[in-house]
Amino acid sequence: MDYKIEEGGAIIKVRISGVLTFDDHERFKSVVKAINESDSATAEIDLGETKMIDSAGIGMLLLANDRAKKAGKEVRLTGANGHVLKVIQLSKVDEIIPVES
Amino acid sequence: MSAQPAPASAPEPVPSDDARILVVDDLRSSRMLIGSVLKSAGFSNIDYAGDGIEALERFEAHEPDIILLDIVMPRMDGFEVSHAIRNRFDSDVPILVQSGVQEAEQRVRAFDMGATDLVSKPINAGELISRLRLHIERRRLIARLKRYQKRMDEELHTAEGMQMSLMKEAPEVDAITYPRQARMETFYRPSYKLGGDLWDVFEIDEHRFGVLMVDLSGHGVSAAINAFRLHMLAERSEADAGDPGAWLARLSDELYEILPIEHFATAFYGVFDKRDLSLTFAGAGAPTPVLRRHDGSVEHLDASGLIMGCRSGGQYGNQRIALQPGDRLCLYSDALYENFDTPDGALSVDELSALIVATMEGEVREGFTTDLIQRVFGSMPESFPDDLTILMLEVIQP
C-alpha cells in the first residue's frame, strides 16, 4: 500500500492506495502515528483507491480507530468500493468505525 | 593531571581459537611458515597436507572448518582438490586459495572450481589471519542460523501436528453426521504450517449437530495461538450451542476479553436438525455460503455480521432454512477467492458460486473439496497464500 496525508484544519485525511494487507503492518504504524500526532479532531481514512483488504488490513483500521479514540479523536472511513466495500459490509465494521460513502 | 604511565610491554593475550584449519602446500617450508603464523594468532587446531591426494585424505578423515589451499602441487593440484570437495564431498567448507597477484586467469579459475576467497602468495601474515577469521566467523554464524532454523522447523512441525489434531478425522465426522441424515466433507490447509482457520463438527443431541467454521485474522503463529484459544472456548460451551446467534455472541464477548484490538475472527455457525431437516445459523462476517438445492436451484446465504472479538455485546441474529435430501451447502474461507498478488484476478461471489455449483453436479461422491480446488486454482497448489478451509454439508436420504 501507499498513503498520502493531507492535513488542513479540523480534518486529517489519509488516502490509502493499493492493497492493505499483513505486509503493510510496519508502514501502517506511521499512519496511526500521524493521526494521533495531528491537531485535527477527526481523521478521515479514504479507501477510494484501496483495491483489496485482508483481515490484517481490517485489523489495522480497528487499531487506528482504537488509538485515535483514546486520543480523543474520531475516525471515519470513506470511499470504500469494490472488494473493500464488500469486506466492510460482510464484517459489519461500520458498527465500530463510521463508514461514509 | 599526570600522564598515565605506559603499560608494561606484556604481549596482549591472543584469544585462542580451536577452529580446525587444513593447510595444504607442497613445500614443507611454506607449511611451517603458515603454521607458525596461525599459532601466533591463537589457532591451535591445525592439520597439514603435502599435496592434493593427501589433502582429500585428511579432509575425509576429519572435515576441517576451513582449508588453506595451494594451487600448484604434485599428484593433484588445488583446482582438483577444490572441485572434489565441492562435488564429490558436497561440502560448503570455506576454501581459501593461495594465489599470486599476477595470475589473473588462475584466480578466476579458482573461483570457478569452488574457492571461497583468495589470499596472496607469498603469504602476508596480517591478510591471511584477517581473511581466515572472517570466513571462520561467517561459517560459525551460518551454522548457528542453521541450527536455529532446524529447531524452529521442528517446533513448528510439532505445533502443526497439535493444530491438525484439533480438527476431526473423516470417520469421526461421519459418526456424527450420518445418524443425523447428513454427510460432510472437509478440507483444511494452513498457508504455512500453522494457520488461523478452524472448523469443528460436534453433537448437540441425538437429533442435532453443530458446524463451526472460524477464520482468525492474520495467519501464522499468532493466528494459530488464537485458534487454539477459540477452540478451547468453543469446546467449553458446546453443550448449550443450540442457539447459534447467542452462541456466537458469547464467543465474541470471550474473544474480546483475550484478543488484542487488531485481532478478530470471522465465523459461520450452523445447527442442523434432522427432525425437520433444517439449518439454523448465524454469521459473523464469514464468506457467503453457497447452497445448491437438489433441484439445481442456487441460493446464497447471508453470513455477514460483526466480526467477533471487536467489542462486547455484539448481537448475532439467527436465520433458518429448510433443507431436503440432495441439498448441498458449501462453506469456505476467503483464501478460496481472494487474490492479493493480482487483485483483479480475485473471484466475485457469483463467479465462485458458479464454480461451486458446477462441482456439485451429479451423483453423491467423495472428492468434492479437491475437485473444487482444482476448478478454482487450475490444479492442486503446493501451497496456498492464506489458510484454506472448505466444508460441504449434504442432506442425505433417511
Side-chain angles (χ1 to χ4, degrees):
Chain A
M1 68 120 168
D2 276 311
Y3 67 90
K4 271 191 211 134
I5 293 178
E6 292 166 28
E7 280 211 69
I11 296 181
I12 173 174
K13 203 168 182 178
V14 185
R15 288 178 199 275
I16 309 274
S17 57
V19 295
L20 186 58
T21 68
F22 191 75
D23 298 333
D24 301 307
H25 205 262
E26 282 307 311
R27 195 181 288 189
F28 197 82
K29 278 184 188 164
S30 37
V31 170
V32 174
K33 193 160 169 248
I35 291 174
N36 280 17
E37 286 177 356
S38 89
D39 297 325
S40 315
T42 303
E44 187 179 308
I45 300 181
D46 183 345
L47 301 172
E49 286 163 31
T50 313
K51 281 206 142 186
M52 282 186 91
I53 190 163
D54 72 354
S55 59
I58 292 286
M60 291 176 221
L61 297 178
L62 292 172
L63 184 74
N65 180 60
D66 182 71
R67 296 287 182 273
K69 269 193 172 164
K70 284 177 179 153
K73 296 170 191 288
E74 298 244 337
V75 171
R76 60 177 185 240
L77 306 177
T78 62
N81 59 80
H83 176 265
V84 178
L85 182 62
K86 284 200 181 107
V87 171
I88 287 174
Q89 287 168 342
L90 204 61
S91 59
K92 301 267 166 86
V93 168
D94 56 341
E95 289 186 22
I96 295 173
I97 315 172
V99 175
E100 291 170 12
S101 49
Chain B
M1 198 161 70
S2 65
Q4 290 283 325
S9 61
E12 259 185 58
V14 179
S16 76
D17 191 320
D18 64 354
R20 189 177 179 85
I21 304 171
L22 175 59
V23 177
V24 187
D25 200 310
D26 60 328
L27 282 184
R28 188 165 176 275
S29 57
S30 297
R31 295 198 296 274
M32 303 273 288
L33 172 67
I34 292 169
S36 71
V37 167
L38 296 182
K39 276 179 193 148
S40 62
F43 292 104
S44 54
N45 193 357
I46 309 166
D47 202 1
Y48 300 93
D51 63 39
I53 303 254
E54 204 186 325
L56 292 183
E57 283 166 8
R58 302 303 305 153
F59 180 90
E60 234 184 329
H62 193 153
E63 182 165 342
D65 295 311
I66 191 163
I67 299 172
L68 189 59
L69 184 63
D70 193 18
I71 292 290
V72 183
M73 294 180 294
R75 297 213 289 167
M76 182 191 279
D77 69 13
F79 295 125
E80 276 184 77
V81 172
S82 180
H83 188 260
I85 286 171
R86 292 292 182 246
N87 295 284
R88 182 140 47 100
F89 297 106
D90 194 27
S91 166
D92 58 0
V93 63
I95 300 174
L96 299 195
V97 165
Q98 306 178 50
S99 168
V101 196
Q102 306 302 329
E103 298 146 329
E105 218 166 284
Q106 197 183 60
R107 295 157 74 89
V108 172
R109 184 154 175 237
F111 281 115
D112 286 344
M113 300 299 265
T116 311
D117 202 355
L118 300 168
V119 285
S120 57
K121 186 180 178 146
I123 291 297
N124 171 313
E127 185 207 356
L128 174 64
I129 296 304
S130 300
R131 288 204 191 271
L132 271 175
R133 287 212 174 111
L134 177 76
H135 289 287
I136 289 170
E137 269 320 301
R138 190 170 155 267
R139 186 167 169 77
R140 284 180 177 147
L141 184 67
I142 290 172
R144 252 199 324 270
L145 286 172
K146 277 186 179 160
R147 276 199 302 276
Y148 176 74
Q149 190 175 13
K150 184 160 174 281
R151 208 187 75 206
M152 287 307 290
D153 278 347
E154 285 166 1
E155 290 192 5
L156 281 175
H157 185 71
T158 308
E160 183 188 9
M162 289 167 66
Q163 184 166 39
M164 291 307 276
S165 72
L166 293 183
M167 278 126 340
K168 292 189 170 77
E169 304 270 352
E172 293 176 84
V173 173
D174 291 348
I176 294 167
T177 59
Y178 276 104
R180 295 170 180 81
Q181 215 183 318
R183 179 179 84 91
M184 282 198 69
E185 259 190 54
T186 66
F187 178 92
Y188 164 73
R189 183 83 60 83
S191 58
Y192 174 70
K193 291 183 191 283
L194 294 179
D197 280 10
L198 179 76
W199 65 262
D200 202 4
V201 174
F202 50 87
E203 301 173 326
I204 295 175
D205 57 31
E206 59 179 306
H207 311 291
R208 298 179 298 169
F209 66 87
V211 179
L212 175 66
M213 190 174 97
V214 181
D215 183 351
L216 273 303
S217 61
H219 35 236
V221 175
S222 63
I225 289 174
N226 288 334
F228 274 97
R229 291 162 133 180
L230 184 106
H231 184 261
M232 245 166 55
L233 295 175
E235 212 165 39
R236 216 166 51 200
S237 48
E238 271 178 15
D240 54 344
D243 178 346
W247 200 61
L248 286 188
R250 195 172 59 247
L251 275 185
S252 176
D253 283 354
E254 287 176 318
L255 279 180
Y256 179 67
E257 296 292 320
I258 59 176
L259 292 188
I261 197 78
E262 67 273 29
H263 284 265
F264 58 87
T266 67
F268 173 95
Y269 175 57
V271 174
F272 180 76
D273 190 331
K274 81 165 187 179
R275 284 170 297 192
D276 56 359
L277 300 186
S278 68
L279 182 76
T280 307
F281 67 94
T288 306
V290 175
L291 171 65
R292 180 188 182 273
R293 298 285 190 179
H294 63 288
D295 62 5
S297 60
V298 178
E299 290 167 34
H300 293 170
L301 306 191
D302 178 10
S304 67
L306 180 62
I307 44 186
M308 298 198 301
C310 296
R311 69 147 202 246
S312 61
Q315 297 287 314
Y316 300 89
N318 282 328
Q319 300 171 64
R320 185 181 166 284
I321 50 169
L323 298 172
Q324 292 181 55
D327 288 355
R328 296 169 187 175
L329 177 69
C330 180
L331 310 170
Y332 49 89
S333 61
D334 49 14
L336 193 58
Y337 59 92
E338 286 185 338
N339 186 339
F340 285 92
D341 293 332
T342 46
D344 295 326
L347 293 173
S348 69
V349 174
D350 288 333
E351 287 165 333
L352 179 62
S353 170
L355 292 174
I356 290 171
V357 170
T359 313
M360 283 174 173
E361 293 293 339
E363 287 303 300
V364 177
R365 63 194 160 75
E366 297 292 324
F368 165 78
T369 55
T370 47
D371 282 1
L372 177 59
I373 289 165
Q374 280 170 0
R375 265 180 212 268
V376 172
F377 295 95
S379 60
M380 178 60 81
E382 292 262 315
S383 65
F384 296 95
D386 192 4
D387 312 322
L388 178 62
T389 303
I390 303 173
L391 304 180
M392 200 274 285
L393 184 157
E394 173 174 42
V395 182
I396 55 179
Q397 297 293 337

